[in-house]
Amino acid sequence: MVARRYSGKYTAGGRRSTRETAPHAPVFRGRKVVRGKLRANLLFFVPLPLLLSGLGAISNADTAKILASLGSFGLLILAAWLLRDGLKAEDAYAARKVSRPPAIPRKAFASALTAAGIFVAAWFGWGQGIAASAVLALIAAAAHVAAFGTDPFRRKGMEGVSDFEADRVARAVEKAETLVSEIMDAAKRIGDRDIEARIERLCASARAVFRTVEEDPRDLARARKFLSVYLMGTRDATAKFAEVHAQNPGTEALHAFDALLSDLETSFANQRERLLEDNRSDLEIEIEVLRERLQQEGLTAR
Amino acid sequence: MAVEPMLRRETALLEATLRWIAYIVLIAIIWFVAIGSYGAAAGGG
């Protein structure tokens, strides 16, 4: 665990900026909830006896049992891992207004791998007959599908919009979501709760812009610069600050980054309103100003 | 008038219950097969 500095209004040398005391969005807005995470995680632990059995077989030098036990254990763990990723992908799909189904049907693969794991363990490991093993495998696959459902397979929110346009929006938002998670990763490296919370709120504002674009794909042309310039700039700035802050946690860089964050907060909030207002020229000016600002800070996207 | 939301709620509840039952069945199968395999390895060794 990395030690994090906790600071607040009443901490000695606490809040560094008065600007951040401005009212802002609730902390939990935009946070992702992964449904069924605990249930999926439990599947990593249930096959553990197979690992023990595999280790026992190693001490007995029983090759067939080693392969059966460790093989089925591997299959079941892989299935649990795919299922967890599948649930994450499903949540990302559910959170968006315009979305394509996940490229890999992870949950379907997880069901199939679970069936395969059960079959191998029951037949080779436990020594049951082939029919009984097959029945157990089938019941396990059916229970897996019933418990966790199937992967989303339909394109969502793309009615009345051309395929080309809808695909472009989905792709652009996917790319922007990746940038947002990179920003959050960089923020975590800074190790300052205050800064991290502000960046998290910034990301929530960015996601609000994504939802606006999804509602009206015509906004994509105008939001494209936001999706690249703003987000890439923010990512690079955050990554660079994390690097500088780790080497020299002085106040100068902190103040500069603090001020930049305040500017970005305002810009992100304005961006969505501008998109809604359809005010193109203002937006262009805003982006130019930000681009110059990032250049001055030496933080432009490479 | 309020029949439809009630029906929807009951359907959701039923669905959630079935999902949990399926989950318990899945966990039970994996666990018993794993324990069976462990027992066979320990007994056979």
Side-chain angles (χ1 to χ4, degrees), chain A residues 176 179 202 205-207 209-210 213 220-233 264 267-269 271-272 275 283 287 290:
Chain A
L179 281 173
L202 206 62
S205 317
R207 288 206 172 98
V209 175
F210 303 166
V213 174
L220 181 63
R222 280 176 292 126
R224 199 171 269 284
K225 279 183 184 172
F226 167 81
L227 297 177
S228 54
V229 176
Y230 273 49
L231 291 178
M232 272 166 85
L264 285 169
S267 306
F268 276 41
Q271 171 78 28
R272 187 163 170 257
L275 277 179
L283 183 65
I287 286 169
L290 185 86

Side-chain angles (χ1 to χ4, degrees), chain A residues 46-267:
Chain A
V46 186
L48 277 178
L50 284 170
L51 180 66
L52 297 176
S53 139
L55 295 177
I58 289 174
S59 69
N60 295 332
D62 187 341
T63 320
K65 281 263 189 303
I66 294 172
L67 286 177
S69 301
L70 294 185
S72 52
F73 176 74
L75 285 171
L76 290 171
I77 293 295
L78 189 62
W81 180 66
L82 275 172
L83 173 68
R84 207 177 54 175
D85 272 13
L87 289 172
K88 266 189 214 164
E90 191 183 16
D91 278 340
Y93 172 89
R96 293 178 196 175
K97 288 181 177 160
V98 175
S99 193
R100 288 180 298 174
I104 307 161
R106 295 178 182 86
K107 281 160 86 177
F109 279 130
S111 302
L113 285 175
T114 303
I118 291 292
F119 181 75
V120 172
W123 191 21
F124 296 106
W126 195 7
Q128 298 297 309
I130 188 166
S133 306
V135 168
L136 277 173
L138 278 178
I139 296 174
H144 196 280
V145 172
F148 296 103
T150 51
D151 300 273
F153 53 89
R154 270 194 209 143
R155 293 195 306 172
K156 186 172 117 181
M158 299 186 174
E159 303 82 15
V161 182
S162 74
D163 282 3
F164 176 69
E165 195 77 1
D167 259 4
R168 259 179 32 160
V169 171
R171 251 201 315 273
V173 170
E174 259 164 46
K175 219 162 120 187
E177 285 276 7
T178 313
L179 281 173
V180 165
S181 43
E182 284 171 2
I183 293 170
M184 279 312 300
D185 286 347
K188 280 179 187 137
R189 288 203 299 274
I190 297 171
D192 186 317
R193 268 181 63 82
D194 233 15
I195 297 273
E196 199 182 310
R198 288 184 71 190
I199 292 174
E200 201 171 323
R201 284 199 297 273
L202 206 62
C203 292
S205 317
R207 288 206 172 98
V209 175
F210 303 166
R211 301 293 92 84
T212 312
V213 174
E214 284 171 347
E215 271 168 19
D216 186 357
R218 286 172 304 174
D219 284 336
L220 181 63
R222 280 176 292 126
R224 199 171 269 284
K225 279 183 184 172
F226 167 81
L227 297 177
S228 54
V229 176
Y230 273 49
L231 291 178
M232 272 166 85
T234 309
R235 182 199 59 186
D236 292 351
T238 312
K240 197 165 244 179
F241 177 70
E243 209 175 282
V244 170
H245 191 65
Q247 286 165 359
N248 177 27
T251 50
E252 202 180 315
L254 196 66
H255 280 308
F257 189 64
D258 196 48
L260 182 69
L261 276 184
S262 298
D263 286 358
L264 285 169
E265 271 168 0
T266 320
S267 306

